[in-house]
Amino acid sequence: MTKITKLEQLINPQVMGDMVSAELAKKLRATRFYRVDRTLTGRAGDTITIPTWKYIGAAEHLPENEQGNVTQMETKDVSYTVKKAVKNVALTDEAVLSGFGDPIGEATRQLRMAIQDRMDWDGVELLQGIDANNGHVLNLTSGVIAYEDVIEALHMLEQDNEEQGIECYLLANHETVKLIRKSPQFTEIPGTLRNRVITTGVVGTIAGANIIISNKLSTTEAYLLTPQCLTAFMKRDINIERERQMLYKRTIVGSDCHYVIAIENYDKIVAMRLPLQW
C-alpha cells in the first residue's frame, strides 16, 4: 500500500514548539544577561511581585563603651504583569513542498527569533527605566565613554558585589562603541579569536569590561551588566499552533509565548547616561 505524506506530517506543531522553546532558552542564556526561570509555569495569576532589599549602607565606627545605632532593613516590591508575544506566518503548499531550502525549518527559526526579539526589547525598556531611585546611574558629561568612566561604573558594581573583578559586559550602540575603539585603553579581539565575536558578541574590552554592540540602544545610553542580571520568567513556553486554510491551500503557523522580563537585583547593573550629541 502506498504511503502518502500529508502536509500535516510536515508541519508538526508539537515538534516545532519543542524546538523553538529549547532554542529560545539557549539563545537567551547565550546573551549572558538572562536567567531563565520556569517557576511561574502552571501557577494561577498574571502578576509576579519581586521583593528587593534596600542596601543598609556602610558600617559605622563605634567608640568604646558607646551604644551603636540600629538600622532598619527595608524591602521594595516591584510588580510585573505577564505579557503575551505573538507571531504568525503563512506557508503555501508550494512553499512547503517545493520551496527553496527548508521552509519549515526557516519558519521555526524565525518564529523563535521574533519572540526573542520581543523579549530583548522588553529587557531594554527595563534598563531604560533605571534611575537613581532604583539603581546605579552614572551621568557622563561627554558623549564619549572614557576608560575612567568604565572604572567608575565598575567601582559602583563592586560596592554591592562581594567579588572583585566580577565578570561584566558593556552594552552600547555601535556609534558609541566606534568612539570607544579610539581609546588607547581599548583592546580589540584578536583575529585568531574571531569566533568569540560570533558566539558571544564581544568585540573587545576596556578596563576589563567586555564590549557588546546593541543597536536597540541609542547613543545617549550604555549599560554595564553582570551575567544573568535580567530574568525571563516563563509563564508558558513557546506554543505553536497550526491552522489549515483549505480554500487558499496554505497553512497558518502561529506562535505565542507568555512571559515576564524582570530585574531581580538592580545592584548587578549600572546605567550610563550620555548627553545628546548634535
Side-chain angles (χ1 to χ4, degrees):
M1 181 177 178
T2 303
K3 293 185 178 180
I4 300 174
T5 300
K6 299 181 179 179
L7 201 62
E8 287 77 6
Q9 294 172 306
L10 298 177
I11 303 177
N12 188 322
Q14 183 176 353
V15 172
M16 292 179 71
D18 291 343
M19 289 175 60
V20 173
S21 293
E23 190 70 11
L24 176 68
K26 185 171 68 174
K27 292 294 183 180
L28 284 174
R29 288 195 180 99
T31 65
R32 308 291 294 180
F33 309 138
Y34 288 94
R35 181 178 74 84
V36 178
D37 187 300
R38 291 186 168 85
T39 56
L40 288 181
T41 303
R43 291 187 181 181
D46 64 351
T47 302
I48 176 173
T49 300
I50 298 175
T52 302
W53 286 104
K54 294 182 179 179
Y55 182 45
I56 59 175
E60 302 168 347
H61 290 120
L62 181 66
E64 182 180 358
N65 202 36
E66 290 194 13
Q67 179 177 327
N69 296 321
V70 176
T71 303
Q72 183 179 12
M73 297 181 65
E74 297 180 72
T75 60
K76 177 183 179 182
D77 291 342
V78 181
S79 295
Y80 298 89
T81 302
V82 173
K83 296 183 178 181
K84 177 173 63 177
V86 176
K87 198 69 175 179
N88 307 304
V89 296
L91 298 171
T92 65
D93 292 0
E94 290 83 358
V96 173
L97 300 173
S98 307
F100 169 77
D102 179 13
I104 297 175
E106 181 64 15
T108 303
R109 186 183 73 89
Q110 292 205 28
L111 288 173
R112 187 268 304 165
M113 288 177 60
I115 299 294
Q116 180 188 343
D117 198 32
R118 181 64 266 168
M119 287 181 160
D120 283 340
W121 275 113
D122 289 352
V124 168
E125 290 175 6
L126 283 178
L127 294 177
Q128 291 172 336
I130 293 176
D131 57 33
N133 294 319
N134 61 14
H136 296 301
V137 177
L138 182 60
N139 293 306
L140 307 183
T141 57
S142 170
V144 180
I145 297 177
Y147 175 81
E148 293 77 13
D149 298 324
V150 181
I151 292 293
E152 179 62 25
L154 283 168
H155 178 65
M156 295 172 77
L157 280 181
E158 289 173 350
Q159 282 183 312
D160 293 316
N161 291 271
E162 294 181 358
E163 312 87 6
Q164 298 296 305
I166 56 177
E167 181 183 8
C168 60
Y169 296 84
L170 180 60
L171 195 66
N173 178 278
H174 75 282
E175 290 292 337
T176 305
V177 173
K178 183 170 70 174
L179 296 176
I180 295 175
R181 276 186 158 124
K182 296 179 181 180
S183 168
Q185 289 88 7
F186 172 78
T187 302
E188 190 86 35
I189 296 296
T192 54
L193 299 177
R194 275 298 165 187
N195 283 340
R196 187 184 177 204
V197 177
I198 298 173
T199 57
T200 67
V202 175
V203 298
T205 63
I206 186 169
N210 298 290
I211 300 173
I212 294 180
I213 297 174
S214 173
N215 289 329
K216 288 184 171 69
L217 304 181
S218 70
T219 56
T220 62
E221 59 183 328
Y223 301 93
L224 196 66
L225 310 172
T226 55
Q228 298 189 346
C229 59
L230 296 169
T231 303
F233 289 97
M234 307 300 290
K235 181 71 172 178
R236 185 179 71 186
D237 273 334
I238 303 292
N239 178 52
I240 302 290
E241 296 178 290
R242 177 191 63 210
E243 177 184 302
R244 180 64 177 167
Q245 295 185 332
M246 185 190 67
L247 295 180
Y248 292 96
K249 303 302 179 186
R250 67 189 179 196
T251 303
I252 303 296
V253 181
S255 65
D256 66 78
C257 179
H258 295 247
Y259 68 95
V260 170
I261 302 297
I263 297 176
E264 293 185 272
N265 188 349
Y266 282 88
D267 292 337
K268 294 178 177 290
I269 302 168
V270 175
M272 306 174 76
R273 309 298 188 200
L274 293 82
L276 181 65
Q277 299 296 300
W278 298 97

